[in-house]
Amino acid sequence: MLKPIYMDYQATTPMDPRVFDAMKPYFLEHYGNAASRTHAFGWKAEEAVQKARETLASTLGANAKEVVFTSGATEANNLAIKGAVEASNAKKKHIITVKTEHKAVLDVCAELENKGVRITTLDVNTDGRINIEALENAIEDDTILVSVMHANNEIGVVQPIAEIGAICREKSILFHTDAAQSFGKLPLTWSSSNADLISISGHKVYGPKGIGALLIRRTKPRIQLVAQMVGGGHERGLRSGTLPVPLIVGFAEAAKLAMSEREEEATRLLSLRNHLKHRLTNELTHTRINGTLAHRLPGNLNISFGYVEGEALLMGLENIAVSSGSACTSDSLAPSYVLKAIGVPDALAHSAIRFGIGRYSTMDDIDDVATRVVAS
């Protein structure tokens, strides 16, 4: 039987054992409710949450009070976008986003559009990056929010969020970025992004599933949102619900590890990705790299294979975990909307494979995968 190889790190990451070790006491020993203020069990849990909040904030150059815990980036995106719309006093409301955004943003915008909010969805260039001039031209007097993801989950393309944020700041427009894929992998702070709202997720950085956060800027400017989940007033009234202390502790530990090892890991992943690209493009004909390589997550390679059916190729890659698109839309038979947005023909979009390389990938894994792909 062939060795199983995991290469779907953009879908999710395995938990780092160091993260599990940090979480374990809060499952078995320190199991109090962080909102229980009358006994030591609650105090211990509250202390752990506050320490985790400070750790996460420090990785992003933020204040601990700017961290609002959610169930993940999808909920954070909902809170950011819907919360900003509902908090706005503008009679007319206009949002700008991008065709290659995650469905957790596009579907929120579609729902708001049905409620009367005008949505402009920008095209991208064939390299996957937006046109800054097109963004500037799309801004109108009633534009209240721009939402552009930092790094794309399918093609790994990194958007110029600092430039986008600077434009928004000049126009007094809120800027939200879904940073689920970039957090812990690329430099990301308030100052480097110029963002007002940042969504992040635990399971993309070798932490637990079911935990994420929305960073909400408190100064210059102070951002106001309307809560989307009520029922207890947790998280300063912005997100009610009993805090999952073990998950929060694990998220913070994962973030700390990711930030401390980021540069070294990025260099290693880039080397692995380049080796995989070299082998596939040199040993096979009619290949196409989807999205720019110049501005890209180091562990992402999205490549189409001409004259090959993608699903058949996936089935042929026994015991290799890869994806033909986003994990959130992988049950659809339609070609990836992200690949269509960058102009990939349907035939090549159907034959696209996303190789996600991560912390536990090795050069032997890369060579094994390349050999199996070529043989298929």
Side-chain angles (χ1 to χ4, degrees), residues 321-340:
V322 291
S323 174
S324 59
S326 165
C328 301
T329 57
S330 58
D331 60 345
S332 172
L333 295 177
S336 159
Y337 70 91
V338 172
L339 298 184
K340 287 182 70 68

Side-chain angles (χ1 to χ4, degrees), residues 72-86:
T74 294
E75 186 188 341
N77 290 341
N78 274 259
L79 175 57
I81 299 170
K82 292 179 183 178
V85 167
E86 293 179 23

Side-chain angles (χ1 to χ4, degrees), residues 344-366:
V344 178
D346 281 2
L348 285 174
H350 276 298
S351 70
I353 299 293
R354 179 185 67 183
F355 296 93
I357 306 167
R359 184 170 295 173
Y360 304 109
S361 302
T362 66
M363 187 61 78
D364 286 343
D365 291 338
I366 298 299

Side-chain angles (χ1 to χ4, degrees), residues 55-63 66 150 161-163 165-166 169 175 177 179 182-200 215 217 259 262:
T55 297
L56 277 169
S58 68
T59 66
L60 290 154
N63 182 288
E66 295 176 313
H150 192 186
I161 60 171
E163 193 173 352
R169 178 118 342 142
F175 175 45
T177 187
S182 63
F183 177 61
K185 305 177 186 99
L186 301 175
L188 178 67
T189 62
W190 279 140
S191 59
S192 70
S193 66
N194 287 321
D196 300 302
L197 300 154
I198 299 176
S199 300
I200 56 177
L215 276 288
R217 188 183 286 275
M259 291 301 181
R262 181 180 60 80

